[in-house]
Amino acid sequence: MRLILMGPPGAGKGTQGELLEKKLGISTISTGLMLRTAIKEQTEVGKLAEQYINDGKLVPDDVIVAIVKERLSQPDCEKGFILDGFPRTTAQAEALDAAGVTIDKVLLLEVDDSKIVERLSSRRECSKCGTPYNIISKKPEKEGICDNCGGELICRKDDVPETIQNRLNVYHEQTEPIKEFYQAKGILAVAQGEEELADTTANVAKALGLGV
Ligand code: AMP
């Protein structure tokens, strides 16, 4: 399965990606997580991306396309992959096509903007492995500590109210139009992501035709 997860920030792409990764036995590629790791390590890409991310803007297409192409060429992607957070512009979707990468399904997680603002303020992320949490709806077993690796849970720098609004605007203006691109290919599936985690997980399984 070569899958794209689409949806506004905080729709649950990271969480559903994590669940699908376990269920399908394929890797999740999160461009946001790759960029945050690059920033932590202060690589050239990290230095370039930092201001864009902190402002809630998109990193330039050529930079992100190069990162994704390199990652998709790694052996674990031969059996399939889940793209979380890519493509985010029509140019990125076209670049994926032009590189000969065929996609089986694009799953759009739909969540209303008002719910996003509320959700992102309670979101946390592991500072080591990037696993997503939410202090209301997806708590770790031990407060502040990642269940997977024992890393410290932190608030993302871009999960602050001003940046959240920018990210939502960017989503509606630049990312949402990709829906039509994939609809025209007949591979778009839509799942509601508004409710509790278990409901969203069931909606995703149904939209993808997987057993719950
Ligand atoms: P995310 O973790 O997916 O919410 O991504 C966090 C931030 O990383 C975004 O707000 C962008 O600044 C940047 N980013 C992630 N993926 C992309 C992409 N495909 N194109 C451009 N910027 C991206």
Side-chain angles (χ1 to χ4, degrees), residues 9-10 13 30-33 35-36 49 52-61 64 68 84-89 92 123 125 156 158-159 163 167 170:
K13 301 186 295 295
S30 159
T31 44
L33 186 56
L35 292 171
R36 285 189 290 283
Y52 290 101
I53 294 190
N54 290 344
D55 290 344
K57 293 182 183 152
L58 294 183
V59 171
D61 287 334
I64 203 83
V68 171
D84 162 7
F86 181 93
R88 257 180 158 100
T89 62
Q92 292 178 16
R123 172 155 85 171
E125 180 178 273
R156 276 171 47 171
D158 56 348
D159 280 348
T163 314
R167 289 161 66 206
V170 165

Side-chain angles (χ1 to χ4, degrees), residues 35-56:
L35 292 171
R36 285 189 290 283
T37 305
I39 292 173
K40 232 185 331 187
E41 292 171 355
Q42 282 294 292
T43 64
E44 282 309 307
V45 167
K47 285 182 203 159
L48 187 148
E50 190 161 16
Q51 201 55 50
Y52 290 101
I53 294 190
N54 290 344
D55 290 344

Side-chain angles (χ1 to χ4, degrees), residues 128-191:
K128 264 196 191 161
C129 72
T131 300
Y133 291 89
N134 188 294
I135 53 171
I136 297 167
S137 58
K138 188 178 178 259
K139 291 181 188 173
E141 278 174 22
K142 212 167 158 197
E143 197 185 317
I145 304 290
C146 177
D147 296 341
N148 278 349
C149 75
E152 185 197 355
L153 303 191
I154 53 162
C155 270
R156 276 171 47 171
K157 255 190 182 170
D158 56 348
D159 280 348
V160 293
E162 317 84 76
T163 314
I164 292 171
Q165 197 49 57
N166 285 345
R167 289 161 66 206
L168 277 172
N169 294 343
V170 165
Y171 175 74
H172 291 304
E173 284 161 21
Q174 299 189 58
T175 307
E176 228 175 0
I178 306 178
K179 252 185 349 194
E180 272 106 69
F181 182 86
Y182 289 117
Q183 204 155 27
K185 289 181 184 285
I187 55 170
L188 184 76
V190 181

Side-chain angles (χ1 to χ4, degrees), residues 15-28 82 131 138 147-148:
T15 298
Q16 292 304 322
E18 191 195 349
L19 295 171
L20 287 166
E21 178 173 75
K22 286 184 188 142
K23 199 171 200 164
L24 302 171
I26 51 179
S27 303
T28 299
I82 302 161
T131 300
K138 188 178 178 259
D147 296 341
N148 278 349

